[in-house]
Amino acid sequence: MAEKKSLFKEFSKGIVIENPVLRLVLGTCPTLATTTSVRSALGMGLAASIVLVCSNIVISALRKVIPSKVRIPAYIVVIASFVTIVQMLVKAFTPELDEQLGVFLPLIVVNCIILGRAEAFAGKNPVLASAVDGLGMGIGFTAALFLMGTVREVLGAGSFLGMSIPFLSQNPMLIFILPPGGFFVFGMLMACVNKLAESRGKPRAQLRGCDACPMAATCKLHNEAAPEQANGEEATA
Amino acid sequence: MELTKGLIAILLTAILTQNFVLSKFLGICPFLGVSKKLNTAVGMSAAVIFVMALATAVTYPINLFLESKELGYLQTIVFILVIAALVQLVEIILKKYIPALYSALGIYLPLITTNCAVLGVVILNVDNGYNFGQSMFNSVGAGLGFMLAMVMFAGVRERMESCDIPKFMRGLPITLVAASLVSVSFLGFTGIVEHIFG
């Protein structure tokens, strides 16, 4: 029973408390680039989730085999293999989605969420927990993209999943589906999430770019900048 | 003449109209993370330009080889591994032979391995069917565009330090809204390249 409970915890943390996009601020590139419509946002979320779950399972199964010195390249190879599989499936079955996602489909390889989960979770935990963790994080990622995609498509194109909305479709605010709209909607969403988090007594999402980066341990810039950054945060708090 | 015109058009498109950061959303992590100070922004972008040009020069022949053997589907795996190995190699070589350059760029190099802008530019070169010259110009242009966006944004952020920002907008939200405004300014370049060269 206790085990079941902790599995559920691993699953649910990715969706709200540790939502990869809105709380951990990871995977910002696809979040901004592929949310011009709900359809492409969902497509991106699903593709990344599949890669995330599969790579988490394989990496956690191999965690005792991979020497820790070469673990990052090994993780990258596993992730890249799954990305290639997903890429071929998308090209074969939904060519229009492939066109919408464009270069961001192969770029799932360098999505920090996936390498980040491999490094932070799958490399240390058993297979089942890793799979559940990947599923939760994937759903959290997809949900955040869906939210962004909905706001941008409804306001920017006046439609939802391609169905036009009466008043809005005559007066679309084009800027929301252009690049500046992406930054703006994401900024506003972060402000809302921070407000909610603060009212619950949780810390607000910080731009942890480097902290969350899986390369942080090997990165000298991060290690040098870290003490300075900590001071800066204290000052603003 | 036609050739140079085409190359310059590619370069300007990559820097201004199709800016990597502000209109293609590639390399957002360093754009938001390392743009707090002007000197780190410049160092990081110099390293990105360097690695982008090098990665393009190395992956171009590799891609020709893959395509000649009909192994195009291995592209993603091979490219990311080549880039990762290349960055490591560059780091080692710079450290040993050009310590001055290493001390300027070295600390940014590991960050670049998992930077989507570098993998993005080599994949885009292949997708667009560019030849070697066009690929190189596109990569250097993308790097310069990255630098332009980083430097501009670092300036904006330094200004923002002294502003009285509403509490709920502090930190990341206001940074993103500022990025949105910088991005609006780049919308002004739409069509400029076609206008000059068309």
Side-chain angles (χ1 to χ4, degrees):
Chain A
M1 192 64 207
E3 203 175 292
K4 245 184 196 166
K5 220 172 188 177
S6 74
L7 269 186
F8 181 73
K9 220 174 158 189
E10 301 298 356
F11 174 70
S12 63
K13 73 165 191 278
I15 300 175
V16 183
I17 307 168
E18 284 184 32
N19 187 299
V21 178
L22 298 171
R23 297 287 301 153
L24 303 181
V25 204
L26 291 173
T28 38
C29 297
T31 309
L32 291 164
T34 61
T35 50
T36 47
S37 72
V38 178
R39 196 182 292 271
S40 63
L42 281 179
M44 180 71 211
L46 278 179
S49 305
I50 294 170
V51 174
L52 184 54
V53 174
C54 295
S55 67
N56 257 10
I57 291 173
V58 170
I59 287 168
S60 120
L62 293 175
R63 71 184 185 282
K64 284 176 186 142
V65 186
I66 300 174
S68 76
K69 268 198 176 155
V70 293
R71 65 182 191 284
I72 302 268
Y75 295 165
I76 291 178
V77 174
V78 171
I79 294 167
S81 317
F82 282 113
V83 169
T84 307
I85 295 170
V86 167
Q87 212 179 336
M88 286 165 133
L89 288 175
V90 170
K91 275 203 176 111
F93 292 105
T94 53
E96 74 276 23
L97 183 66
D98 178 57
E99 213 154 275
Q100 278 170 350
L101 297 181
V103 71
F104 282 92
L105 199 54
L107 283 184
I108 296 176
V109 180
V110 283
N111 187 323
C112 339
I113 299 175
I114 296 173
L115 196 55
R117 284 334 281 174
E119 169 80 351
F121 199 91
K124 296 171 193 140
N125 288 286
V127 177
L128 187 61
S130 301
V132 168
D133 172 78
L135 194 64
M137 285 286 165
I139 292 174
F141 181 61
T142 312
L145 286 190
F146 176 74
L147 202 62
M148 282 257 314
T150 309
V151 174
R152 289 181 73 185
E153 194 185 332
V154 165
L155 293 177
S159 61
F160 179 76
L161 271 173
M163 296 175 289
S164 65
I165 296 165
F167 173 72
L168 288 167
S169 63
Q170 279 109 49
N171 310 289
M173 288 175 263
L174 192 63
I175 190 93
F176 278 102
I177 49 175
L178 291 174
F183 283 113
F184 185 75
V185 172
F186 193 38
M188 286 301 158
L189 216 55
M190 290 303 303
C192 297
V193 169
N194 280 348
K195 190 86 189 161
L196 270 178
E198 259 175 12
S199 69
R200 302 266 166 98
K202 297 252 163 50
R204 45 193 299 156
Q206 286 287 341
L207 182 64
R208 315 183 316 153
C210 276
D211 278 329
C213 171
M215 305 300 287
T218 55
C219 173
K220 295 178 199 81
L221 178 70
H222 169 70
N223 293 336
E224 275 174 20
E228 192 187 329
Q229 218 171 23
N231 289 338
E233 274 168 21
E234 270 171 26
T236 48
Chain B
M1 194 56 209
E2 263 320 291
L3 193 70
T4 16
K5 229 176 164 182
L7 289 180
I8 293 173
I10 287 179
L11 189 72
L12 283 183
T13 308
I15 298 176
L16 298 175
T17 43
Q18 290 289 312
N19 187 287
F20 249 53
V21 179
L22 296 168
S23 61
K24 284 202 179 125
F25 297 124
L26 290 167
I28 297 289
C29 293
F31 177 65
L32 296 175
V34 197
S35 64
K36 233 175 188 168
K37 291 209 185 75
L38 196 60
N39 55 351
T40 47
V42 172
M44 177 77 189
S45 357
V48 166
I49 297 176
F50 185 64
V51 174
M52 270 183 174
L54 211 61
T56 307
V58 172
T59 50
Y60 187 80
I62 291 176
N63 187 50
L64 284 186
F65 172 77
L66 284 181
E67 275 175 359
S68 71
K69 300 274 180 206
E70 295 188 351
L71 293 170
Y73 59 88
L74 284 178
Q75 201 194 57
T76 314
I77 303 181
V78 171
F79 279 9
I80 185 74
L81 285 179
V82 167
I83 291 172
L86 190 72
V87 172
Q88 288 289 317
L89 204 66
V90 167
E91 200 182 348
I92 294 168
I93 292 174
L94 282 188
K95 204 173 189 175
K96 182 112 172 74
Y97 294 106
I98 324 175
L101 196 60
Y102 178 77
S103 61
L105 301 184
I107 52 170
Y108 305 102
L109 286 173
L111 265 182
I112 293 174
T113 317
T114 52
N115 182 340
C116 50
V118 177
L119 184 60
V121 80
V122 295
I123 292 177
L124 280 174
N125 285 337
V126 172
D127 284 355
N128 293 343
Y130 285 158
N131 63 29
F132 187 73
Q134 289 169 324
S135 299
M136 287 310 287
F137 268 75
N138 190 36
S139 308
V140 173
L144 288 174
F146 181 80
M147 182 179 243
L148 180 66
M150 285 283 276
V151 169
M152 276 177 66
F153 196 52
V156 171
R157 284 187 78 170
E158 278 180 9
R159 278 282 180 99
M160 241 158 48
E161 295 273 296
S162 57
C163 290
D164 185 20
I165 300 157
K167 191 162 174 256
F168 72 102
M169 289 295 286
R170 264 176 224 167
L172 191 58
I174 193 73
T175 311
L176 285 164
V177 173
S180 158
L181 294 178
V182 174
S183 168
V184 169
S185 72
F186 270 73
L187 278 187
F189 291 121
T190 311
I192 194 170
V193 175
E194 290 81 358
H195 196 73
I196 298 174
F197 295 100

